[in-house]
Amino acid sequence: MSTVERAVRTWIATERQNQIDEIVRAISAGDATILDVVKALGEYLTSEEDDVRNKGVELLTQIIDQSPSDKLNRQSVRVLVTFMCEKLDDTDTIIPALKALKALVSKDAFTAADAVEVSKAVFRYVKMKALVQAQRFVVYGIIDGLVARHRDALIGMGSEFLSGYISLADGEKDPRNLLIAFAIARVLLIEFDTTRHIEDLFNITFCYFPITFRPPPDDPYGITTDDLKKALRDCLNATPAFGPMAIPLFQEKLTAGSPATKRDTLQTLDVCLPVYGLGVAKDHARKLWNTLRLEIFQPTDPETESLALNTTQVLVRTIYDTHDSQTAQDEDVQGFAKDVSEECIKILREPEKNQAKHAIKVICVFVSSTPSVAKYTLSQAVPHLVQLFLNPDEAQNRAATLGLLADLVGAVRESSVGGAITERGTPSLLPYKDEVLGVFTVGLKNAASCVYAISGLKGLALIPGLLTEEELGFVVHSVNEVLTNDETLEDEDKSDAILDLLITLSSNSARHVSQTTLPLLFSSLPDRAPSRAADAERLKYWRSLSFLKRLCVQSDLFEMLVVRLSTKLDLICVPAANAMTDDEHEPTAAYAHSILRTLAAGFAKKVELGHADVSKYSDRLIPRLYNLHFYSALVSNGSAMVATDPRLVSVSAEIITLITQTVSIGKQETFVKALFDAYLTGVPTRIAEGQHKLPEDKQFAPFSPDATGLQKTLVVLFSGAILPLHKEVALPVLNESDFLDTLSQWTIQHGDSMVYRDAVQHCIAAVLNKRIDNLSEFMSNKLNTFWATYVKQASLSLERRKTAISTWTWFTKGLLIRGHPLAQSCADRLFELFGDGSVSWAAARAIGEIVRQDTVLTKKNHAIVKLLFAQRFANNMLPKIISGVKSSEDSDRQNAYLVALTSLIKSIPKSAYIHEMPSLLPLLLRGLGLPDHKIRANVIDTLLSVADSNSKQPIIAEHATSLVSVMLKNSTAEGTSSVRVRKAALQYLAVLPSIVRYDILHPQKALVLRELAKALDDPKRVVRTEAVEARQVGLSV
């Protein structure tokens, strides 16, 4: 007995895959052939027992499918095809026979003659209605393979193949089979002569329109409604012959269908009309328009309206694209487009009515269709709207008219930008340019029409080649006249529109804006700050600075902004004449702060956009800022000067950081040497070059123990320069560990103000994060010394210990973000302080501060940031905190753990703690009993974050009664004086019904409504608003 025979007999008995693999290996190695398998299966293939015969055919099918194509020669394939076709007549073997034929179709030795034989056998013996989905899928797979590989042979069969396939496909309902059936039908419609069968093919395809299939949840096949819609549309637009039959069906669906059906029909028409062609489109244009007009002029929803407009555009293109070369020169377009245009123009005679808005949309669609239709439509619409605007009898409707004209210009602009509507390179609006520009300019001067005029002017400016440089300058000049109007400054919509237009113009032609608009805005900035009582003047310079900030983004304009504002800053902060009075100091500082904030916002925007010109201001602006602040601190006789104000210094530091971020490593190294010369050796001249000469008789030493408060404030500028340094930039000191230790001690001993103390702590964290390889001594010795000397030392004053904890927090933060292993042990040390009542809460809050997101240690500042550092920290700390609360017997220590918990979860992503909510929720409820308002607010914010989904949450339901009680207590002025807490508590009461079952909350309804009545009388409006919302939700419980 041969190997094949033994394997066959074994498989018949066991049906194990091992025997099939053995036979396939033998065939692949050439030790056996497929005919050997047939011989071995002889008695099984011809058995009188149905089950045995079916097994024999099934085994042969699997071997055919798994055998290499080159091992099946022509003789084998011919024998197998004939055999399997005969087996189709046997109801017991039809299924494996179909599978075998599907496998054979893909073999190389399968010929055209085999294709004809297989198709005839399938059409003769296969009854699709008797087969289940999976079996019908095999049949479609056979037909699909035949059409793909032997199309010419099937075409030669003529009507026999087409009628056979139509019979097979008729009545199919399963979406998996339909995807293949639609693909086959598309090929037949395109490649075969379907003249005699077009109606039958129409019937077996259009019967599925529109697709209403909705996939079941967790559908393993992944077939979507859109997949079926696309496949069906590919069928429906496969042949022009469908047109006369399809258009009436589409009209019926548009007339009587649901909104979803209408949208599907419109999208299908968009792809079908160009294929159905000019004749069909022309014959049905009027009827289609009557249907489309209803969806445009009486829209049920914006989406359907938009689709109807798009279908109208496709209809126009289908009719006029074919002969556009002949009609392009003829303004008098005939037929459908002319009739609809005249209809819309008639409606536009009353621009104030709502129908005019829909009519202009149709006109805009025509403008975006074909050159000939666009030319004709513009020749009718533009003069009509211009004359309507100029008509004295229609003066009250000028705003509406300009709005329509602006929409039309916008449509022309979109077409011109896309290259669709230009004639011989000439903009289509060119013949009407002067009139349109004139009416828009006139409309600028009227408050009601100003916004529409600006929109129209923007459209004109964006049409390539339409406006000359002189005309662009005229537009800018006209807009400038409106910009300086007080009414414009008060109208936010109008001022925003003007700015948008000027920004557009500056991106294309910055010269006109820089020569006319910017001088106008700069001249509106006073040389001296308005007094406290001059609210109007102060509002005016705020708005001017706001305009400048948004307008001056382009390189040349921004350079002018920096030069003019930095000069203005020098003038304000260092008056040339007499000294500034006390009454003038605060308004002047506010004015200077506004200027610096404008510069900071401009640099932030340019850094975000990646502009390359930012780095040049490291030489042009940074020295001037240092010069201004150094000079003011040095010449001050004890009284604060404007430039020494901490608020101004902080903004200047922000600007320095933004600029230094963009500077190369080499330039940063040069810069940092000059910086250290100024701050550590008292030689500020290299970094503080500017118009103010620094006094030589005054010493600059901000880190000196006897430094004045004004000089200490300038440490903020030092930190601002250190934060964005690359890790490769070495600090120009003998020992970086000693330098860091000095800074650390300075924060404790001389950090009297939070402003410069925080700045130095940020600087320390940045150095630790980037320069850890050069700080081994600090990490091994000085860190422990700092803990023992300042943090742990109970004899120090409370304020100094809290400062030491804050500094320790930034130590840990710098290490944690870069993923240093010592970070966790530094954080764990804070637990040691939980038993010290004087600093326990400060240490507890520090645990959350360590991981809280900030703007200091970021990738923009070139910090080393490891992924998921916050999640890892939370995973380490949460179990320790939960365990600490449960194991602590001392109430003070328990409260410290609760404070640490609220601080931590407020600082980490929800995903890092959501899995611990069953353990955390009871602790959070206890946290709501702590006296600190900020802690309470953090807890409620956390609960709101957890409750942001509408799904019912069992863990919340378990504590619903307690949650309602504690939230009611925190929702009234009697329960807490914090507005933030009251507002958050009411918000949580409003969201509870969406996450807790009705039967659990309903018993609380009376109590909730009674207590909420108190909140309705809250002295703060924001609280009363939330109380109304919570009561409304409560009434529905």
Side-chain angles (χ1 to χ4, degrees), residues 89-143:
D89 192 26
D90 185 344
T91 55
D92 294 306
T93 59
I94 185 173
I95 304 307
L98 284 171
K99 293 178 181 177
L101 288 173
K102 183 181 178 183
L104 286 168
V105 166
S106 64
K107 303 302 182 182
D108 295 338
F110 189 89
T111 64
D114 297 329
V116 173
E117 181 180 353
V118 169
S119 59
K120 287 181 178 181
V122 169
F123 296 151
R124 180 178 179 183
Y125 297 118
V126 175
K127 309 301 179 187
M128 294 291 270
K129 293 181 180 179
L131 303 178
V132 297
Q133 181 276 327
Q135 296 161 358
R136 297 197 306 275
F137 187 80
V138 175
V139 176
Y140 284 114
I142 293 172
I143 302 298

Side-chain angles (χ1 to χ4, degrees), residues 483-495:
L483 184 62
T484 55
N485 192 305
D486 289 339
E487 292 182 2
T488 302
L489 295 176
E490 295 173 3
D491 189 332
E492 189 172 340
D493 291 338
K494 189 187 297 184
S495 60

Side-chain angles (χ1 to χ4, degrees), residues 646-916:
R647 294 166 294 182
L648 271 67
V649 176
S650 296
V651 182
S652 292
E654 183 181 336
I655 295 172
I656 291 169
T657 299
L658 288 166
I659 297 173
T660 310
Q661 284 175 2
T662 65
V663 173
S664 66
I665 293 175
K667 204 161 187 179
Q668 281 189 355
E669 290 174 341
T670 303
F671 170 66
V672 80
K673 287 178 182 176
L675 181 75
F676 274 67
D677 283 345
Y679 277 85
L680 300 186
T681 63
V683 185
T685 51
R686 284 184 56 202
I687 200 171
E689 297 175 357
Q691 75 174 77
H692 307 296
K693 180 176 174 58
L694 302 182
E696 297 179 358
D697 58 336
K698 298 288 182 70
Q699 183 182 8
F700 181 73
F703 288 111
S704 171
D706 56 352
T708 64
L710 297 181
Q711 287 203 27
K712 287 182 181 180
T713 302
L714 301 186
V715 169
V716 176
L717 300 178
F718 177 82
S719 177
I722 296 295
L723 297 184
L725 295 180
H726 288 272
K727 64 180 181 180
E728 293 83 3
V729 178
L731 302 182
V733 292
L734 293 176
N735 187 304
E736 292 187 11
S737 291
D738 290 342
F739 171 69
L740 208 60
D741 185 47
T742 301
L743 290 183
S744 304
Q745 294 187 46
W746 189 89
T747 63
I748 310 298
Q749 298 170 359
H750 308 293
D752 310 318
S753 168
M754 183 184 296
V755 175
Y756 45 80
R757 183 175 67 235
D758 288 352
V760 173
Q761 289 171 348
H762 297 166
C763 178
I764 292 169
V767 174
L768 261 178
N769 178 268
K770 301 172 192 176
R771 303 289 300 166
I772 193 70
D773 295 339
N774 296 73
L775 298 169
S776 56
E777 183 184 349
F778 182 85
M779 298 299 297
S780 59
N781 299 321
K782 298 185 183 297
L783 205 58
N784 293 326
T785 303
F786 184 88
W787 174 267
T789 306
Y790 298 110
V791 182
K792 192 74 173 175
Q793 183 57 258
S795 61
L796 281 180
S797 67
L798 178 60
E799 190 62 34
R800 286 199 170 189
R801 289 193 71 192
K802 287 184 176 180
T803 300
I805 291 173
S806 177
T807 304
W808 186 264
T809 301
W810 281 98
F811 286 160
T812 311
K813 195 180 190 78
L815 296 172
L816 177 71
I817 290 177
R818 69 166 288 138
H820 196 278
L822 196 56
Q824 189 60 52
S825 62
C826 288
D828 290 341
R829 277 190 169 188
L830 292 170
F831 289 125
E832 299 175 18
L833 303 178
F834 282 16
D836 189 334
S838 58
V839 294
S840 58
W841 281 32
R845 288 192 180 96
I847 288 178
E849 294 292 339
I850 288 170
V851 76
R852 183 163 297 166
Q853 192 172 7
D854 60 74
T855 58
V856 177
L857 299 174
T858 63
K859 286 188 177 293
K860 286 185 178 180
N861 282 336
H862 311 296
I864 301 173
V865 181
K866 294 294 185 181
L867 290 175
L868 303 177
F869 71 88
Q871 286 82 347
R872 284 192 293 270
F873 184 74
N875 290 339
N876 286 327
M877 298 301 285
L878 279 176
K880 296 176 183 178
I881 293 174
I882 295 171
S883 174
V885 176
K886 295 178 179 178
S887 62
S888 298
E889 297 180 358
D890 180 12
S891 61
D892 290 339
R893 185 180 286 272
Q894 283 185 352
N895 287 341
Y897 277 107
L898 290 174
V899 172
L901 175 63
T902 59
S903 178
L904 179 61
I905 61 176
K906 181 68 176 175
S907 304
I908 58 179
K910 183 172 69 173
S911 59
Y913 64 80
I914 191 68
H915 62 285
E916 293 280 2

Side-chain angles (χ1 to χ4, degrees), residues 184-412:
I184 294 171
R186 175 173 173 80
V187 175
L188 300 186
L189 289 164
I190 294 174
E191 301 286 344
F192 287 61
D193 180 7
T194 58
T195 307
R196 294 171 55 188
H197 301 275
I198 195 66
E199 190 170 345
D200 292 332
L201 287 166
F202 177 83
N203 290 333
I204 68 168
T205 52
F206 267 80
C207 65
Y208 298 105
F209 184 83
I211 295 290
T212 57
F213 166 74
R214 293 292 180 272
D218 302 321
D219 179 20
Y221 304 102
I223 297 175
T224 66
T225 305
D226 288 339
D227 292 336
L228 285 172
K229 285 182 178 180
K230 183 180 183 306
L232 179 57
R233 284 176 192 153
D234 288 342
C235 265
L236 304 186
N237 70 358
T239 174
F242 275 171
M245 296 178 285
I247 297 298
L249 178 65
F250 287 141
Q251 284 184 262
E252 179 186 338
K253 300 298 182 183
L254 284 173
T255 304
S258 65
T261 297
K262 289 180 179 180
R263 289 192 288 270
D264 190 8
T265 304
L266 291 168
Q267 291 170 333
T268 306
L269 271 170
D270 291 348
V271 297
C272 289
L273 280 173
V275 177
Y276 295 165
L278 169 63
V280 171
K282 206 168 185 180
D283 291 344
H284 295 85
R286 176 51 61 180
K287 291 182 179 179
L288 274 174
W289 167 245
N290 290 337
T291 308
L292 293 169
R293 179 171 50 190
L294 287 174
E295 302 302 331
I296 296 170
F297 286 89
Q298 299 175 26
T300 54
D301 60 84
E303 185 181 357
T304 305
E305 179 191 15
S306 176
L307 289 171
L309 286 166
N310 193 64
T311 302
T312 304
Q313 184 182 69
V314 172
L315 179 60
V316 173
R317 286 177 175 169
T318 303
I319 296 173
Y320 292 94
D321 255 352
T322 306
H323 302 293
D324 205 59
S325 58
Q326 288 81 18
T327 60
Q329 302 302 320
D330 180 14
E331 285 192 6
D332 190 20
V333 170
Q334 300 298 318
F336 172 71
K338 181 179 180 181
D339 295 342
V340 176
S341 294
E342 290 176 353
E343 182 182 339
C344 292
I345 294 294
K346 185 176 180 180
I347 296 173
L348 291 178
R349 292 174 186 172
E350 298 177 306
E352 76 281 4
K353 292 190 175 179
N354 189 54
Q355 292 296 297
K357 296 178 181 178
H358 302 299
I360 200 66
K361 292 178 181 178
V362 177
I363 295 293
C364 291
V365 161
F366 278 33
V367 166
S368 303
S369 56
T370 71
S372 61
V373 174
K375 185 176 181 181
Y376 173 76
T377 306
L378 288 174
S379 70
Q380 301 299 308
V382 175
H384 171 76
L385 291 172
V386 170
Q387 291 170 12
L388 201 63
F389 179 86
L390 298 176
N391 187 349
D393 296 334
E394 296 289 337
Q396 72 275 14
N397 296 325
R398 282 185 170 179
T401 304
L402 270 191
L404 299 175
L405 187 57
D407 289 341
L408 182 56
V409 170
V412 175

